[in-house]
Amino acid sequence: MRITDLLTKDTILLNMTASSKPEAIDELIGKLDQAGKLNDRDGYKQAIEEREQQSTTGIGEGIAIPHAKTASVKEPAIAFGRSQEGLDYESLDGQPTNLFFMIAASEGANQAHLETLSSLSSFLMDKNFREKLETAKTEDEVIEAINAKEAEENEDEVEDSSTSEGKVLAVTACPTGIAHTYMAADKLKETAKEMGVEIKVQTNGSSGVKNRLTADDIAQASAIIVAADTKVDMSVFDGKPVIEVPVAKAIHEPKQLITKAQNKDAPIYSHEGGSSDSEDGGGKKRGGIYKHLMNGVSNMLPFVVGGGILIALSFFFGINSADPDSEQYNRFAEMLNTIGGGNAFFLLVPVLAGFIASSIADRPGFAPGMIGGLIATTSGVEGADGGSGFLGGLIAGFLAGYLTLGIKKLLEGLPQFLDGLKTVLFYPVLAIFGTGMIMLLINPPLTSIYTGLLSWLEGLTGANVAVLGIIIGGMMAVDMGGPINKAAYTFGIATLDAGNFSIIAAAMAGGMVPPLAMALSSTIFKNKYTKQERESGKTAYALGAFFITEGAIPFAAADPARVIPSMVVGSAITGALTMLFSIGLTAPHGGIVVIGLVQGGITQAALYILAILVGSIVAAFMVGFLKKDLRKA
């Protein structure tokens, strides 16, 4: 479907009379309604205004793309409007807006409609295309300019698909699939464009796989870059040069990776159904332990976040509201606690162990990993609830994975007619038996170690608590979503599951500081940041508020020597203050959304916010003083 199937001459306004944002919205809606594209003009206007209240659709560069998907739209359509003098549309860059594309998507719009509508934004990034729209004298010239741009893009796609030499493919993936995944993809595409290299990037994000690599893509590629901190299906790359690196490498060193891929400077990948090593970016092999661990953590996170917040919500009815014998008992609170704690949290360790094992040994490792994790949480020393918890789950996952690999190796010599029985009989029986027996033997001493560690943490007071807060908070800022950050966060989840709510509070607060600090610094010290960095700073306010530490990565990548130490100091201060204030948080994620779940009421919640603000301000001023003034550079 073409854009001009949705944008027609009767939805084009070359001389808008509006002088304000509300007037512009009304004028464009009127054009769509006049063309018969709307069922309910007022309903569509309400949907447009609700979208504008979330954030302005004035994207800058003189462009605004107001849009809404609603049943008030009769059929998908686009209205184009042009204001010769421009008007104030509250654009992100603060400049007047003169080009308007109002998108009307019906609730039943199919994928083709939605993809066509979404392609507009990428077209509008082309300065030459915008200039053609600005100078078009008739509606026909607007249509012609859009058709020419689409034809140009289609030619590029044809060229890409026919090229067999030099084409680079990439896959990006991170444990949470929120920030690193897409930052890495954007950085690779941006750098490839600068280098004149053809590239296609598949993103394995939280919402699923996007821009999936096809068999033809892989056949034509010179090499594949797999920038991932979680498991990726590698079987499709069998026989191709593959560069495996942590996702952060694609953000920090995209040019080096693309150059290596062009030169086929990578080992030929041979898929054997097991684990694989990955490069550290310097040509050396690194073990897959971190990748296996992150595969477990990323698949465990939905249970952590969903279950943890449901448990925390049950506390709103009283700390003992889920106990039928308590005066605070509330049936709804008990149901929340049962779903979150009795079910979601009960599965944390088995899911962690199962996905670690499956990362190592593929599907045959999943069942023994799950069983091993279940034993870890249920078969400990007498009187110790929760068994060996996360410690046992980690050991169970790696034990099950490598034990399954060993069993697969031992059974390679069986007659071929028995191959069908391996996966359905031999692997599960032997791997579950071996993992289960070993875990039953080692779990009691592991439980004693685990409960002893938790008891030691609970017994910390005074200066010791501050030191622990400094360590946890500082770790959250070292690599901002990488292995050190995830280690501190996973430790917080483990203590949360054991009933200690202070570590996760320090971890979350420490993780909120870097993006908030960089947002604040780029606002205060404007002369020390580029325009693009200042725009990123505005976004970082929201990312920090919602505990997405990765929001500070663009700043750290551009200036690691000044940014990272400053962030570590600020996060460490916040962690220490959080521990000294005895803050307890019953939710494992959410940032500002779960502030109300801080134990102790409004006073403690206020102290928690104070701790976050103090660390953010210290880090913001520290990096601001360290950075050079761009006017003097």
Side-chain angles (χ1 to χ4, degrees):
M1 176 172 284
R2 301 174 66 85
I3 290 176
T4 48
D5 290 333
L6 303 174
L7 173 64
T8 54
K9 290 173 66 174
D10 59 352
T11 59
I12 295 176
L13 273 169
L14 289 181
N15 296 291
M16 293 177 64
T17 59
S19 59
S20 67
K21 180 175 179 176
E23 290 177 5
I25 290 174
D26 278 336
E27 196 169 355
L28 291 165
I29 290 175
K31 194 65 175 174
L32 286 171
D33 190 39
Q34 184 181 345
K37 306 297 183 182
L38 305 178
N39 288 320
D40 179 358
R41 174 174 175 156
D42 292 337
Y44 179 67
K45 181 178 179 180
Q46 181 180 350
I48 286 287
E49 289 176 342
E50 287 174 356
R51 173 60 187 85
E52 292 295 330
Q53 287 171 6
Q54 296 173 17
S55 63
T56 181
T57 56
I59 63 175
E61 304 291 344
I63 303 164
I65 312 179
H67 56 275
K69 183 179 180 182
T70 169
S72 299
V73 175
K74 183 185 297 184
E75 61 179 282
I78 303 172
F80 168 65
R82 186 179 67 190
S83 170
Q84 296 290 355
E85 297 182 2
L87 57 89
D88 181 7
Y89 199 85
E90 301 173 359
S91 291
L92 294 174
D93 60 1
Q95 299 301 310
T97 302
N98 65 316
L99 297 179
F100 302 84
F101 281 90
M102 178 171 278
I103 296 174
S106 61
E107 282 193 341
N110 59 33
Q111 191 63 28
H113 281 126
L114 298 176
E115 289 177 359
T116 302
L117 294 171
S118 64
S119 66
L120 255 181
S121 58
S122 61
F123 286 7
L124 291 168
M125 293 300 100
D126 184 338
K127 184 178 180 181
N128 292 330
F129 176 59
R130 295 200 305 271
E131 289 177 351
K132 290 179 181 178
L133 296 178
E134 289 168 353
T135 57
K137 293 183 172 60
T138 65
E139 290 85 352
D140 287 328
E141 288 186 21
V142 172
I143 300 292
E144 183 181 335
I146 293 172
N147 285 335
K149 180 61 178 175
E150 278 199 296
E152 177 187 326
E153 294 295 318
N154 290 335
E155 286 175 7
D156 289 343
E157 290 180 7
V158 171
E159 289 175 5
D160 285 350
S161 64
S162 64
T163 302
S164 59
E165 292 297 326
K167 185 174 183 178
V168 174
L169 303 182
V171 179
T172 62
C174 64
T176 54
I178 297 174
H180 281 76
T181 300
Y182 302 104
M183 289 178 180
D186 289 343
K187 198 66 177 178
L188 286 169
K189 288 187 284 189
E190 177 187 334
T191 305
K193 185 175 181 180
E194 292 173 356
M195 297 171 66
V197 175
E198 299 164 14
I199 193 168
K200 179 177 180 180
V201 184
Q202 171 182 308
T203 54
N204 291 13
S206 58
S207 59
V209 174
K210 299 291 177 65
N211 206 30
R212 187 183 293 275
L213 304 181
T214 67
D216 287 342
D217 291 329
I218 295 168
Q220 296 169 3
S222 58
I224 298 96
I225 300 167
V226 178
D229 286 337
T230 188
K231 188 172 178 62
V232 170
D233 179 14
M234 300 288 291
S235 61
V236 294
F237 304 138
D238 193 38
K240 299 292 293 188
V242 176
I243 303 168
E244 292 186 74
V245 295
V247 69
K249 288 288 183 182
I251 298 172
H252 301 311
E253 302 173 10
K255 187 173 183 179
Q256 294 91 318
L257 292 177
I258 293 170
T259 300
K260 288 181 69 175
Q262 277 191 300
N263 297 332
K264 299 184 180 181
D265 182 13
I268 302 299
Y269 179 76
S270 177
H271 183 70
E272 299 177 354
S275 60
S276 64
D277 293 331
S278 62
E279 293 183 32
D280 63 5
K284 297 183 291 184
K285 293 282 184 180
R286 71 167 196 167
I289 290 177
Y290 173 66
K291 183 176 288 187
H292 303 321
L293 174 61
M294 287 299 101
N295 190 58
V297 171
S298 63
N299 283 285
M300 179 189 71
L301 277 178
F303 295 84
V304 173
V305 177
I309 290 180
L310 288 177
I311 294 170
L313 289 174
S314 73
F315 293 150
F316 272 127
F317 298 91
I319 195 67
N320 297 312
S321 57
D323 183 1
D325 298 326
S326 171
E327 293 180 358
Q328 296 178 327
Y329 175 70
N330 179 286
R331 174 57 180 157
F332 183 64
E334 182 190 22
M335 293 170 71
L336 290 174
N337 193 273
T338 299
I339 296 168
N343 294 282
F345 257 45
F346 179 75
L347 291 171
L348 291 187
V349 174
V351 167
L352 173 72
F355 279 98
I356 289 174
S358 66
S359 178
I360 297 168
D362 285 335
R363 189 176 298 175
F366 184 72
M370 286 285 290
I371 297 299
L374 187 62
I375 292 172
T377 60
T378 57
S379 302
V381 298
E382 186 175 350
D385 294 332
S388 56
F390 278 74
L391 175 61
L394 291 172
I395 293 173
F398 286 102
L399 169 65
Y402 288 114
L403 180 62
T404 303
L405 276 185
I407 291 170
K408 291 166 73 174
K409 191 74 174 177
L410 286 173
L411 298 181
E412 282 180 354
L414 287 178
Q416 189 172 357
F417 72 88
L418 292 175
D419 281 354
L421 291 176
K422 287 181 181 179
T423 56
V424 298
L425 179 63
F426 297 148
Y427 292 164
V429 171
L430 294 175
I432 289 174
F433 171 77
T435 302
M437 291 297 290
I438 294 173
M439 284 303 299
L440 286 171
L441 291 172
I442 68 173
N443 200 49
L446 287 176
T447 301
S448 298
I449 295 171
Y450 188 65
T451 54
L453 174 62
L454 293 176
S455 297
W456 174 73
L457 286 173
E458 291 171 356
L460 290 176
T461 57
N464 291 332
V465 166
V467 171
L468 181 60
I470 288 171
I471 294 171
I472 295 295
M475 287 176 68
M476 293 298 293
V478 170
D479 52 3
M480 304 177 197
I484 298 175
N485 170 287
K486 286 296 184 289
Y489 181 61
T490 304
F491 180 55
I493 293 171
T495 55
L496 174 66
D497 186 38
N500 184 319
F501 303 125
S502 59
I503 306 296
I504 194 66
M508 189 182 299
M512 292 169 70
V513 166
L516 289 175
M518 293 313 306
L520 189 60
S521 184
S522 62
T523 300
I524 297 171
F525 301 96
K526 293 183 178 180
N527 295 329
K528 298 191 176 185
Y529 295 89
T530 64
K531 180 181 178 181
Q532 183 178 355
E533 287 175 329
R534 293 195 299 273
E535 292 301 319
S536 297
K538 295 175 183 177
T539 305
Y541 278 115
L543 295 175
F546 289 99
F547 182 38
I548 301 175
T549 316
E550 290 90 340
I553 286 178
F555 299 95
D559 192 2
R562 296 179 178 88
V563 171
I564 293 176
S566 302
M567 298 306 104
V568 171
V569 169
S571 292
I573 290 172
T574 289
L577 290 174
T578 299
M579 297 295 287
L580 287 173
F581 292 155
S582 299
I583 304 294
L585 183 62
T586 55
H589 209 288
I592 194 171
V593 175
V594 296
I595 291 293
L597 302 178
V598 170
Q599 291 184 313
I602 296 176
T603 301
Q604 289 296 91
L607 288 173
Y608 193 44
I609 294 172
L610 176 64
I612 295 168
L613 290 177
V614 169
S616 300
I617 291 170
V618 169
F621 276 87
M622 183 173 172
V623 72
F625 289 137
L626 289 174
K627 287 181 75 70
K628 296 179 180 178
D629 192 324
L630 296 180
R631 296 175 302 179
K632 300 177 182 178

